Amino acid sequence: MTLFLGAMKVLKYLKLLKYVLRKADKELRSVEMRSRNWPEVRFQKNVQIKGSAENISIAQGAQINSDVYLNSGGKSYGGDGKIVIGSKVIVGAKTTLFAGSGTIEIGENCDIGVGVLILSHTQKDYLNRWKDDAVFKSFRLKIGANTNIGSGAIILGNSTIGSGCQITPGAVVQGDF
């Protein structure tokens, strides 16, 4: 019985070790991709990049903090979107930039707070979401230079935010400002 319990503990340990090694390998591949595509950008840990790296442009001097999610879309969103981040932009931790098949442009010297959602698409048509021809709607979203976006703000597609704007924490923004 003791031998059996010991073997079970070893199997649990091996399963945990396999999980840790797989996660470390995934992070290493992600770091290699980031350093190859954006060598002049500072990335912190656990930055996830989905979609095509060719559709994400990050200028030198930008800083992408931990647990940021960048998604430039793909086939399931009706096509590739684009994310363009200007120089000296700071993207706060736990922020999501989701282009879908739309476009997100962020001007230089912007400061994006913690937990901000920037979305340039909507969900599929709710009533027809199971049909093959139901697609996401995509928009262009532009944020001007020297803009400060407070923590927890949500910026929705089809918006243009001019240069030098201040968006308060927790705000929901859609439209032209």
Side-chain angles (χ1 to χ4, degrees):
M1 183 72 166
T2 307
L3 182 62
F4 177 73
L5 291 175
M8 292 300 291
K9 284 183 179 179
V10 168
L11 287 175
K12 266 185 163 178
Y13 174 76
L14 289 174
K15 187 176 180 180
L16 178 63
L17 182 62
K18 183 179 176 182
Y19 170 78
V20 169
L21 290 174
R22 189 179 308 134
K23 188 171 180 178
D25 181 56
K26 186 177 177 182
E27 180 65 21
L28 181 61
R29 282 184 280 136
S30 179
V31 168
E32 288 172 356
M33 180 197 58
R34 293 188 310 239
S35 63
R36 182 178 59 246
N37 289 305
W38 307 285
E40 300 295 326
V41 177
R42 291 182 302 188
F43 288 95
Q44 290 186 356
K45 64 180 181 163
N46 297 329
V47 174
Q48 294 184 34
I49 299 173
K50 302 289 183 183
S52 175
E54 290 82 36
N55 293 338
I56 300 175
S57 172
I58 307 173
Q60 71 179 25
Q63 177 177 322
I64 312 296
N65 289 327
S66 61
D67 301 312
V68 168
Y69 180 71
L70 304 173
N71 190 323
S72 65
K75 185 177 179 181
S76 60
Y77 298 100
D80 290 329
K82 284 195 175 213
I83 297 175
V84 179
I85 299 174
S87 65
K88 299 179 184 172
V89 170
I90 298 173
V91 179
K94 298 182 181 179
T95 291
T96 297
L97 277 72
F98 202 144
S101 58
T103 302
I104 297 173
E105 296 177 36
I106 300 172
E108 61 184 26
N109 297 318
C110 289
D111 188 359
I112 300 171
V114 174
V116 172
L117 293 176
I118 301 176
L119 311 170
S120 70
H121 74 285
T122 62
Q123 292 185 346
K124 290 184 179 181
D125 176 13
Y126 184 75
L127 295 175
N128 299 311
R129 69 187 180 280
W130 303 114
K131 295 181 180 177
D132 289 335
D133 61 347
V135 295
F136 285 85
K137 293 182 180 178
S138 300
F139 302 100
R140 183 171 182 265
L141 190 150
K142 185 172 183 178
I143 299 170
N146 303 309
T147 295
N148 187 354
I149 301 172
S151 297
I154 300 172
I155 303 181
L156 301 172
N158 209 20
S159 297
T160 302
I161 298 167
S163 296
C165 288
Q166 172 71 39
I167 297 174
T168 60
V172 177
V173 177
Q174 183 173 29
D176 297 334
F177 298 94

